[in-house]
Amino acid sequence: MERFRTAVDATLSLRPDQPVYCFRPAVLREDAQAFKASFPGKTAYAVKTNGEPFVLQTLADAGIDCFDVASPAEFAAVRAVAPTAEMLYMHPVKAQSDIRLALETYRIRTLSLDHEDEVAKILRIVRALDIDPGEITLFVRLATKGHAAYELSKKFGAAPAHAVELLQRIDRIGFRCGLCFHVGSQIEDAQTYERALASADWVRARAGVPIRELDVGGGFPAVYGHDPRRKTPAMPDLADLMAELRKDIADWGFDTMPLVAEPGRVIVARSISLIVRVLLKKGRRLYINDGIWASLSDSWTGKITLPARFIPDPARRRRVGNAGEIVPFKVCGATCDSVDILSRPFWLPETVDTGDWIEIGHIGAYSLSLRTHFNGFYPDTVVEVDEPFHAGDAPQGFASIETMAD
Ligand SMILES: *Cc1c(COP(=O)(O)O)cnc(C)c1O
C-alpha cells in the first residue's frame, strides 16, 4: 500500500481520476481500542461493516479477538487473519449448509435466531455432528423499537412473548440461552438501548430459564457532518453514550452476566476517507467519479451528511465565485442511473470546479463492503495515510469539528 502523510499529499501526488480510499490504521486501532476499553463485555466487530483484509488484520493486531459474522465468506475472511479469534454467527436466518459449515469446519459455537424453525435447523446439524447442545449458546433475537438511520426490527427479531417461548424451547433441548437485540445502525436516540433492555428484562422474567449472556448488538453512532439548515439533535459522544448504557445495564439487572456488543460503524468509520474527483460542474451540481452504486450508498439511504474537504487542483488558473462562500452542491454519481444522486448535499466553497478533488471523511463503514460493479465502475485503490481526517485545514463539509477534536 502506498503511504502518504496526508490525503492532500496523496491527491496532489497521484492526481487520481479514479476514487482513492485513504486508510489510517492508527485511527482504526485507536477507535477499536477505545470501544473495547469502554464496553463492559466482549467486543465482537461486525464484519459486514467493512470486511477488507487490511481492516480485519489491523483489528486483529489491535487486539480485537471476537467477530460477528453472517456468511461463509465472512467466516473465511476472519479465519484468514485471526486463526484463533472467536466468531459469533449472529444472522438470525441461515442456510442449513452454512450452519453445518459454521459448526463443523469453523467450530462456531454461538448463533442467533428468532424462530422455532431455525432451532430445528440448528438441532438437525448438532445431532448429525454429534455435538453436545450444552456447548452451544443460542441467542434469541428480540425485536426492538427506536430511532436509527437504519431500523431493522421490521425484518428480524421475535416479539417478546414469542421470545419467551423460544428461550424455553432452547433450554428444554439443552442449549445455553442468550438474549440479543440489534437496535439498527447509527442510532439517533440515546434511549434506544434502554427500551431494548427493558424488553429483554420482561422476557427474562417470564421465560424462567437461565440466561447466560446478553448481546446488545451494534448501532453505536459514528461522527458525521451536519447540515446547517436542519435541526438534528446532537447525539452524545461514545463516552457519554457508554456511561448511559452501563447505567441502564445495571438498572435492569444485566450487569451480573457476561455481555457482548457488536459494533461496526463506530469502530471503522473514521479510519477511511475517500478522494473523489469532480468530473463536471453544472451550476450547483457536481458530477463526481463515485456514487450510490460504489462507496456512497450508505449516506444515500441513511440520509447522512458527509464531511467533505475541498482539494483544489493547483493547475486551474481561473476560478469563479467567492472562495469564502460555503454553499450546498447537489452531488451526482458516476453511473448512468437517474437515482444515482446523493440525498444530502456536499458543503463546499463556491469556487469548486471541474477537475478539483473532494476528500470525503469518515467513510470507512458500509462503503467498500457495499460497492457494486454496476456500469463498470468499481473503485479499488487504497493508500495509507498517517494524519487523521480532522487534522490539517478544517474540512468544509460541516463535519462536527467540536466532537471530532480530541
Ligand atoms: C449490522 C449489524 C451490526 C453492526 O451495526 P453497526 O450499526 O454498524 O454498529 C451488529 N449486529 C448485527 C446483528 C448487525 O446486523
Side-chain angles (χ1 to χ4, degrees):
M1 219 180 262
E2 229 179 318
R3 188 167 165 186
F4 297 91
R5 193 178 60 85
T6 70
V8 174
D9 289 353
T11 307
L12 298 182
S13 146
L14 300 171
R15 298 186 55 82
D17 246 354
Q18 310 301 326
V20 174
Y21 297 104
C22 299
F23 175 50
R24 295 158 169 91
V27 172
L28 182 56
R29 269 194 299 277
E30 191 183 312
D31 286 354
Q33 284 166 351
F35 189 94
K36 205 171 175 214
S38 66
F39 181 72
K42 195 186 283 181
T43 296
Y45 171 69
V47 173
K48 77 166 190 284
T49 317
N50 187 329
E52 294 300 312
F54 62 86
V55 166
L56 298 180
Q57 184 72 63
T58 305
L59 288 172
D61 295 345
I64 297 294
D65 54 4
C66 186
F67 293 84
D68 163 20
V69 288
S71 65
E74 291 188 355
F75 310 158
V78 169
R79 192 49 63 79
V81 303
T84 58
E86 184 180 3
M87 288 190 264
L88 314 179
Y89 190 4
M90 301 305 278
H91 194 315
V93 181
K94 301 166 281 298
Q96 185 92 52
S97 52
D98 293 349
I99 297 172
R100 176 182 269 274
L101 187 75
L103 294 177
E104 190 174 28
T105 307
Y106 289 93
R107 306 206 140 259
I108 290 172
R109 291 294 179 265
T110 303
L111 302 89
S112 79
L113 55 89
D114 64 3
H115 194 273
E116 46 282 4
D117 291 356
E118 198 73 12
V119 181
K121 281 199 274 185
I122 295 168
L123 186 56
R124 216 173 292 141
I125 306 291
V126 165
R127 294 249 161 88
L129 296 177
D130 193 26
I131 298 171
D132 172 5
E135 279 180 33
I136 294 187
T137 306
L138 295 184
F139 279 86
V140 171
R141 172 124 161 211
L142 268 178
T144 59
K145 284 199 180 59
H147 296 285
Y150 295 91
E151 226 260 283
L152 277 174
S153 54
K154 287 186 200 77
K155 183 163 179 186
F156 296 123
H162 187 198
V164 169
E165 276 176 41
L166 286 170
L167 286 169
Q168 291 168 343
R169 178 186 296 250
I170 289 167
D171 178 67
R172 265 198 312 277
I173 297 168
F175 290 117
R176 290 162 46 92
C177 294
L179 262 176
C180 69
F181 48 78
H182 175 54
V183 294
S185 203
Q186 189 69 10
I187 60 159
E188 291 165 347
D189 167 5
Q191 265 92 59
T192 305
Y193 292 110
E194 194 193 354
R195 280 191 295 273
L197 288 165
S199 179
D201 178 58
W202 189 95
V203 169
R204 171 174 59 173
R206 271 147 197 89
V209 304
I211 306 290
R212 316 286 187 151
E213 285 177 69
L214 177 77
D215 181 336
V216 301
F220 304 90
V223 175
Y224 293 111
H226 73 270
D227 185 330
R229 299 170 306 185
R230 278 167 198 275
K231 282 203 191 68
T232 36
M235 276 297 290
D237 67 14
L238 184 65
D240 290 346
L241 191 65
M242 209 53 105
E244 199 166 321
L245 179 59
R246 278 170 180 277
K247 182 178 171 296
D248 294 339
I249 285 172
D251 287 350
W252 289 101
F254 285 105
D255 53 343
T256 52
M257 65 176 68
L259 301 168
V260 185
E262 304 161 352
R265 193 185 284 281
V266 71
I267 284 186
V268 79
R270 217 165 63 92
S271 71
I272 297 177
S273 68
L274 176 67
I275 299 162
V276 299
R277 193 159 203 186
V278 179
L279 302 180
L280 191 72
K281 179 190 192 179
K282 250 189 220 178
R284 281 291 172 84
R285 258 199 256 177
L286 299 178
Y287 292 76
I288 62 168
N289 58 359
D290 202 306
I292 68 162
W293 301 108
S295 320
L296 303 173
S297 70
D298 175 60
S299 73
W300 182 60
T301 39
K303 298 193 165 53
I304 290 166
T305 298
L306 292 166
R309 170 181 281 115
F310 178 38
I311 306 179
D313 181 357
R316 174 175 277 278
R317 298 267 174 271
R318 264 171 37 85
R319 296 211 172 256
V320 189
N322 174 359
E325 194 72 39
I326 308 295
V327 295
F329 284 95
K330 194 186 251 302
V331 180
C332 299
T335 69
C336 303
D337 183 356
S338 60
V339 303
D340 190 3
I341 300 175
L342 295 194
S343 53
R344 290 287 178 267
F346 284 177
W347 292 79
L348 292 165
E350 215 176 39
T351 47
V352 62
D353 215 326
T354 303
D356 290 331
W357 292 275
I358 301 165
E359 184 191 9
I360 303 169
H362 299 200
I363 192 82
Y366 307 108
S367 50
L368 291 94
S369 57
L370 288 172
R371 283 171 295 173
T372 75
H373 285 277
F374 180 50
N375 236 177
F377 298 106
Y378 187 78
D380 203 27
T381 307
V382 187
V383 301
E384 202 178 303
V385 163
D386 296 334
E387 279 210 345
F389 175 75
H390 69 264
D393 295 339
Q396 288 83 7
F398 291 93
S400 314
I401 305 294
E402 319 81 66
T403 46
M404 277 165 52
D406 25 12

